Amino acid sequence: MTDVNILGIETSCDETAASVVRDGYQMLSNVIASQIDIHKAFGGVVPEVAARSHVEVMLPVIEEALVDAFPNIDDRWNEVDAIAVTHGPGLSGSLLIGVLTARTLALIKNKPLYGVNHVLGHVYANFISPGGVMKLDDRRQTTDTRDIINSNLRNTNYPCDTSNKWIAPEFPVLALIVSGGHTQLVLFEDHYDYKLLGQTQDDAVGEAFDKVAKVIGLDYPGGPSIQKAAENGGDSRKYDFPKSVLDNPYDFSFSGLKTAVLRKVQLICDKDHTFPSFELADFLGGQQVKDVAASFQRVAIETLVDKTMKAYQEFSPKTVVIAGGVAANSELRRQLKERLPIGIEYASINLCTDNAAMIASLGYYHSLSSEADNPHVLEINTSLSM
Ligand code: KG4
Ligand code: ZN
């Protein structure tokens, strides 16, 4: 069996990314041009600015991903077997740049094209062998050793890396998907065979981190800022915030928690609810900021872990994975490890937030099970669901 190299392209929000992944698990390159510094000044992503920035760096980012993956090869495109691109969900202007670029390249270079779902893509960060971008010497050809562990995966070799004893997550896989736009619990019986157990009914958990950070005067993106403030001497028991109770125990709701934090901050600052929320931070002391951050983070993360534990007990999956930007959160990682009776492996932090390696990995499995998309017609879908 020959190796399959997929070029992944990701531009759904504010990261322009390209990556080459071999056989769905060996990362040959991973290039991410982040716009965080551009959007920081506005306290959040400005869609028009994001789209323009994607246009500027898209082609250089792809070129760099190809050079990194195939440094000593003249005809690099000859090494690429297919292109996978995020076609939704996300911001329309941002998605358009990635999809139009991928469609054009698929036509010019005569490569199969696969449009993939960004949220599902996050889960596939867990299917990439750890250890970062593979060094040239470590890239192995497909070997028979992988067939041994092949048993439960249709006609593909089961991804494993005998050099560092890693094997891909075994099914059934319970996935907690937590990003700036999504909060879902999904049970996978196999690739593309999954059931949505529950999802947020209002704000995504990452969105709640970003909004709370704004209220207490911390930088965008809020997740890392809140984690840092909490770790920097915040008392997570200083304030108690309510956890929402919903009919479906696997659904989530974070808007009540977000409002409870706002009300608490208004109280601390001695202001009523008509006072502009973006001016509240000026009235908070440094320790108060840390305590609110730590208390909010504790309640938000406990909510995620409580529901994941309940699903684990009910469905007894072989593996639990976390995915999406909030999966980078150290408190989430700590609490899950502590409470789960089975071991849990985490993807590296730069594969939790938006990247193209996860898109290339998902594209690989997509190519095994589906026909390629028509490069003349592949559309973006800003609200594409799983
Ligand atoms: O997956 P992602 O990069 O983009 C989306 O698809 O939304 O997730 C971004 C979200 C943001 O809301 C950000 O605040 C959050 O992930 N995030 C974190 C952390 N790092 C990023 N939230 C909590 N703790 C973190 N360490
Ligand atoms: Zn994302």
Side-chain angles (χ1 to χ4, degrees):
M1 189 182 163
T2 55
D3 297 319
V4 177
N5 296 323
I6 308 248
L7 169 68
I9 296 175
E10 156 65 39
T11 62
S12 66
C13 188
D14 60 345
E15 253 91 39
T16 319
S19 159
V20 178
V21 174
R22 177 171 289 174
D23 294 342
Y25 79 105
Q26 286 190 331
M27 194 160 72
L28 306 193
S29 63
N30 186 29
V31 179
I32 305 172
S34 173
Q35 305 174 7
I36 283 181
D37 288 341
I38 301 173
H39 298 289
K40 220 172 215 165
F42 304 99
V45 178
V46 183
E48 293 79 4
V49 176
R52 183 178 305 191
S53 176
H54 285 307
V55 175
E56 284 165 6
V57 298
M58 183 78 268
L59 290 176
V61 162
I62 292 174
E63 184 60 24
E64 194 179 331
L66 293 177
V67 172
D68 285 359
F70 311 114
N72 301 318
I73 294 172
D74 289 336
D75 185 1
R76 300 193 170 97
W77 276 101
N78 193 38
E79 304 297 313
V80 175
D81 295 293
I83 300 172
V85 63
T86 300
H87 73 124
L91 300 170
S92 59
S94 293
L95 287 166
L96 262 178
I97 308 303
V99 168
L100 288 177
T101 304
R103 281 170 53 174
T104 309
L105 288 172
L107 285 167
I108 296 174
K109 306 292 183 186
N110 197 22
K111 305 291 175 188
L113 174 67
Y114 297 94
V116 303
N117 181 305
H118 176 83
V119 182
L120 190 55
H122 271 299
V123 175
Y124 281 76
N126 293 284
F127 283 81
I128 293 169
S129 159
V133 173
M134 301 215 99
K135 294 189 210 83
L136 278 180
D137 295 348
D138 295 339
R139 296 178 188 177
R140 299 168 312 108
Q141 297 293 311
T142 304
T143 63
D144 289 339
T145 42
R146 285 200 280 154
D147 293 331
I148 302 166
I149 315 174
N150 187 14
S151 53
N152 68 343
L153 235 186
R154 285 195 226 114
N155 54 2
T156 71
N157 287 331
Y158 200 80
C160 82
D161 191 333
T162 45
S163 57
N164 63 13
K165 303 202 169 40
W166 171 83
I167 64 165
E170 286 187 87
F171 293 102
V173 172
L174 174 66
L176 172 70
I177 307 174
V178 277
S179 72
H182 293 81
T183 308
Q184 302 178 329
L185 266 170
V186 183
L187 186 65
F188 287 77
E189 292 298 337
D190 201 342
H191 298 285
Y192 285 99
D193 177 7
Y194 51 80
K195 189 169 119 189
L196 179 66
L197 303 179
Q199 62 186 331
T200 184
Q201 302 299 299
D202 39 58
D203 291 355
V205 62
E207 200 179 342
F209 269 90
D210 294 337
K211 287 177 177 167
V212 166
K214 221 171 182 174
V215 168
I216 59 178
L218 297 177
D219 272 349
Y220 171 85
S225 305
I226 285 189
Q227 176 182 317
K228 205 165 143 205
E231 284 171 350
N232 205 2
D235 177 358
S236 67
R237 301 273 161 194
K238 177 83 182 183
Y239 306 109
D240 211 10
F241 298 119
K243 291 180 187 166
S244 57
V245 180
L246 299 144
D247 289 346
N248 172 1
Y250 303 122
D251 276 345
F252 301 86
S253 164
F254 289 102
S255 75
L257 172 59
K258 182 190 65 187
T259 308
V261 172
L262 175 62
R263 295 284 173 263
K264 181 63 74 185
V265 173
Q266 287 164 340
L267 200 71
I268 298 169
C269 300
D270 199 20
K271 303 286 175 199
D272 71 18
H273 68 276
T274 59
F275 190 79
S277 61
F278 57 89
E279 288 179 18
L280 281 167
D282 295 343
F283 297 86
L284 283 178
Q287 189 57 44
Q288 287 168 325
V289 169
K290 292 177 192 173
D291 291 344
V292 173
S295 301
F296 159 76
Q297 176 175 264
R298 174 180 59 79
V299 175
I301 297 299
E302 270 174 15
T303 306
L304 299 176
V305 176
D306 288 351
K307 287 170 190 278
T308 307
M309 289 305 299
K310 187 170 174 56
Y312 174 79
Q313 276 143 11
E314 183 170 346
F315 300 103
S316 307
K318 269 204 173 140
T319 315
V320 177
V321 300
I322 56 176
V326 183
N329 186 271
S330 56
E331 183 59 14
L332 173 61
R333 290 170 172 234
R334 190 191 66 74
Q335 283 193 26
L336 260 186
K337 207 156 222 155
E338 191 177 288
R339 289 176 60 184
L340 273 174
I342 53 170
I344 178 164
E345 301 284 334
Y346 298 122
S348 67
I349 303 289
N350 70 337
L351 291 183
C352 289
T353 46
D354 290 348
N355 66 87
M358 65 187 197
I359 301 305
S361 173
L362 172 58
Y364 171 75
Y365 293 100
H366 207 77
S367 72
L368 296 176
S369 61
S370 320
E371 294 285 303
D373 285 299
N374 181 341
H376 292 280
V377 299
L378 179 68
E379 299 270 2
I380 63 159
N381 182 346
T382 56
S383 54
L384 184 69
S385 70
M386 278 176 58

